[in-house]
Amino acid sequence: MRVTRSRAAALAVAAIMLSGGCGGGSSSQGGGKEANAFSVALTEPDHLTPGNTSSDYSITVLDALFETPVSIDAASGKPVMRAAESVTSTDQKVWTIKFKAGQKFSNGEPVTAQSFADSWNATAYGPNGWTNNYYFANIEGYDKLNPEKGDPSTDKMSGLKVVDDTTLEVTLTAPFSQFPITLAYIAFAPMPKAAFSDLKAFDQAPVGNGPFVLDGAWEHNKQIKIKRSASYAGERKPKADGVTFKIYASRDTAWTDLRAGRVDLMTTVPPASTGEAKKLLGDRFVQTPDGTMDYLGFPTFDKRFANPDLRKAFSMAIDRQAIVDAVYDGAFKPMASLLAPLVPGYRENACGEACTYDPAKAKALFDKAGGFSGTLTLWFSNADPSYEQWMTAVANQLKQNLGISDIKFRKIPAADYLSTLRQRKEDGPYRNNWVMDYPSPQDYLEYMWGAGNRMGWENKEFDDLIKQANSAPSLDASLPLYQKAEDVALAEMPMIPLWNWQNQIGFTSRLSGVDVSPYGKNLYTISVKQG
């Protein structure tokens, strides 16, 4: 499905920018003057066009403004219908999407199958340069919109056929059993015809088909206000009249304001403040599973790291639990799987011995692999102080457990980090991060370990298993094949799983009905207590 690494890069940027943004104003009530409104701490979004952002901050806003064809059920992790009435196929290659009739954008324009086709074509059109372009790479005709040389010969994918106002037929380049679940991602939201007269203006003032609409202008680096949509006819009826997204420079500042009641909801309480949050907020502090994972990647194109036994030795020499306790106050979960726990097909100990802390076995395996001579350089970005903290802990453990004495750090500016990895300039292990697009093993395995990966790792058996899994007749039938592919990757360990993030949610006593799932912020469920 994916032909470039642009999405992986953008997602990692979203993850490493957790402390970005600028501080917003405050009020005596977290939600502002409106009695039935509340506020949410947020980092400044990059864009508000569904096809042109992978930032979690942007998606938090867009999830309230737009309705995607499907959503992800919090209990099962499987797709359920939202703007779509059904998504069906007999061969996993040609899919028919039936949309619910009577839907409208907030400007009154009808939401039709053409609305979705227009939005998807715009995102896939190469000259637009939108972040989520690659998401449509497995639809027939995508290549015509993204030629290797020259300008596109068309701006419409041949694989999109509008049958009637409520029916869209999608023809893929190959069978893909995960297609329905991908439709939950914001890139697949529709756009009204009015958007295409001025796409730049639309990015600043998007018009969606969701439960909320913009309430005034996007005040950059200060706030974004939304209010209940009068035209929304879907199932996500808001319980509050409005929401103010207050933009903060750092999570620490937002946490200070949450404690003081100047902001009502924070979905990213700093991990180091977990203990304080539990004591101060009680049952108003909630931890939920997250799809984000941290890894330590190896440049396997460097012959010094070509031996799988050496890479496994590094893994066994790292005490994940000790680092999580010291750096994240125990808030994150040490991992022995390439997948996050909430992903179907996840196995708690898929990695086995290779991800179990055992200094003695690690040293024996390290010696068997020939050890490591020279300077070991550990690479990470400067986006968050915790990155250097855990890299320092890793360095100390490698010194103590493997005897590597010469270790130095390369701390790269956040803006340059991903381009450095894409250009394969790193000469040592590096911090790698993945933020889940949708809960499928394919989303992790193919995009990080498949063709063109950052590690320079190649394995035909792995690639063949991914292809077989993608073409399986159903999601359930694909899981054993994805698990076999995961086993192949773990056996060679080109990238070490470290820990899974947890959502750290805190809110004031003004709110009830806070239901923030790993698949969406669900702001529509939140009520403001009166009196």
Side-chain angles (χ1 to χ4, degrees):
M1 179 178 178
R2 186 170 304 196
V3 295
T4 72
R5 295 294 161 205
S6 61
R7 171 73 173 120
L11 277 168
V13 167
I16 63 179
M17 288 179 63
L18 280 170
S19 60
C22 294
S26 62
S27 63
S28 58
Q29 285 188 332
K33 295 180 180 179
E34 301 88 350
N36 194 30
F38 62 94
S39 59
V40 179
L42 193 71
T43 294
E44 173 78 357
D46 58 353
H47 292 283
L48 289 181
T49 298
N52 196 24
T53 184
S54 59
S55 164
D56 185 57
Y57 321 123
S58 300
I59 294 172
T60 296
V61 179
L62 292 174
D63 182 63
L65 300 179
F66 288 86
E67 195 105 293
T68 48
V70 307
S71 61
I72 304 300
D73 180 73
S76 68
K78 294 184 177 181
V80 294
M81 297 302 105
R82 183 174 282 180
E85 189 173 273
S86 63
V87 181
T88 58
S89 176
T90 58
D91 61 1
Q92 312 298 312
K93 182 177 180 180
V94 180
W95 293 85
T96 299
I97 307 174
K98 293 286 293 185
F99 295 103
K100 296 173 182 176
Q103 300 178 87
K104 290 184 179 181
F105 289 101
S106 59
N107 65 353
E109 184 180 318
V111 177
T112 66
Q114 189 67 55
S115 308
F116 287 89
D118 289 345
S119 179
W120 300 2
N121 279 321
T123 306
Y125 187 59
N128 282 342
W130 287 1
T131 298
N132 293 324
N133 169 284
Y134 78 92
Y135 254 106
F136 303 90
N138 65 338
I139 297 178
E140 282 193 355
Y142 169 88
D143 55 337
K144 301 294 185 183
L145 277 64
N146 298 271
E148 292 186 7
K149 295 181 180 180
D151 297 326
S153 58
T154 179
D155 60 0
K156 295 177 177 60
M157 291 180 283
S158 59
L160 297 182
K161 179 183 177 182
V162 176
V163 179
D164 56 42
D165 280 352
T166 59
T167 309
L168 180 64
E169 184 180 275
V170 183
T171 301
L172 307 181
T173 55
F176 185 50
S177 61
Q178 313 298 298
F179 181 69
I181 208 167
T182 68
L183 297 176
Y185 187 60
I186 196 63
F188 291 90
M191 291 168 61
K193 292 185 181 299
F196 299 97
S197 61
D198 191 337
L199 288 173
K200 289 185 178 179
F202 181 83
D203 191 54
Q204 296 300 305
V207 173
N209 62 327
F212 291 93
V213 299
L214 278 183
D215 184 13
W218 173 3
E219 299 178 58
H220 287 279
N221 300 317
K222 183 180 180 182
Q223 67 179 18
I224 300 171
K225 296 186 70 174
I226 61 176
K227 62 183 178 181
R228 182 187 292 148
S229 172
S231 61
Y232 178 70
E235 298 175 358
R236 297 190 297 156
K237 298 283 200 264
K239 294 185 176 179
D241 292 333
V243 181
T244 298
F245 297 100
K246 301 178 67 175
I247 312 302
Y248 285 90
S250 73
R251 285 184 291 177
D252 289 334
T253 304
W255 169 235
T256 298
D257 270 8
L258 181 70
R259 287 181 299 175
R262 291 189 291 264
V263 68
D264 289 314
L265 174 65
M266 185 178 185
T267 60
T268 54
V269 172
S273 300
T274 297
E276 181 185 11
K278 289 178 180 178
K279 293 177 181 178
L280 180 64
L281 301 178
D283 60 5
R284 290 185 284 108
F285 174 71
V286 182
Q287 292 178 284
T288 64
D290 190 82
T292 303
M293 296 274 289
D294 278 348
Y295 308 85
L296 188 68
F298 290 96
T300 64
F301 49 84
D302 185 326
K303 63 181 181 181
R304 297 176 301 166
F305 302 99
N307 191 326
D309 283 342
L310 177 73
R311 303 193 292 261
K312 290 178 186 177
F314 273 60
S315 177
M316 297 170 70
I318 297 173
D319 188 342
R320 294 161 173 78
Q321 187 64 62
I323 295 175
V324 163
D325 290 343
V327 178
Y328 297 112
D329 197 22
F332 292 174
K333 180 179 179 180
M335 293 301 298
S337 169
L338 302 183
L339 311 177
L342 52 82
V343 176
Y346 164 76
R347 295 168 294 167
E348 185 174 8
N349 194 30
C351 186
E353 184 179 64
C355 291
T356 301
Y357 179 57
D358 192 325
K361 288 185 178 179
K363 185 62 166 66
L365 198 59
F366 180 75
D367 293 339
K368 175 187 174 185
F372 184 89
S373 59
T375 301
L376 178 70
T377 306
L378 300 178
W379 294 65
F380 55 94
S381 84
N382 67 351
D384 191 290
S386 68
Y387 303 162
E388 184 166 5
Q389 293 169 15
W390 73 252
M391 273 295 195
T392 299
V394 166
N396 291 336
Q397 291 174 3
L398 296 179
K399 288 179 181 178
Q400 178 178 340
N401 298 328
L402 300 182
I404 303 175
S405 58
D406 186 6
I407 300 179
K408 68 177 184 180
F409 297 146
R410 282 296 305 275
K411 184 164 59 173
I412 306 296
D416 301 326
Y417 185 64
L418 295 170
S419 61
T420 298
L421 298 183
R422 285 196 298 272
Q423 296 167 25
R424 295 184 176 177
K425 293 182 178 180
E426 71 277 14
D427 60 356
Y430 57 92
R431 177 190 181 270
N432 199 56
N433 171 269
W434 187 253
V435 181
M436 181 181 70
D437 302 334
Y438 46 87
S440 165
Q442 176 267 343
D443 184 55
Y444 291 77
L445 299 176
E446 183 172 6
Y447 298 162
M448 282 193 290
W449 282 266
N453 62 71
R454 292 173 183 163
M455 298 93 68
W457 179 69
E458 297 179 359
N459 188 290
K460 186 177 184 304
E461 181 183 6
F462 176 89
D463 292 339
D464 288 345
L465 285 165
I466 293 295
K467 290 178 182 177
Q468 293 174 40
N470 287 350
S471 300
S474 67
L475 172 61
D476 289 340
S478 72
L479 296 182
L481 294 165
Y482 286 126
Q483 289 173 340
K484 287 182 179 179
E486 182 185 14
D487 290 340
V488 171
L490 286 168
E492 295 204 8
M493 198 69 79
M495 187 159 54
I496 297 171
L498 294 175
W499 39 79
N500 169 241
W501 293 26
Q502 302 288 296
N503 290 315
Q504 307 269 105
I505 303 157
F507 55 97
T508 67
S509 58
R510 295 184 70 234
L511 305 186
S512 64
V514 176
D515 177 23
V516 182
S517 84
Y519 313 116
K521 299 301 187 279
N522 293 343
L523 300 180
Y524 71 97
T525 67
I526 298 176
S527 297
V528 179
K529 297 177 182 177
Q530 302 301 314

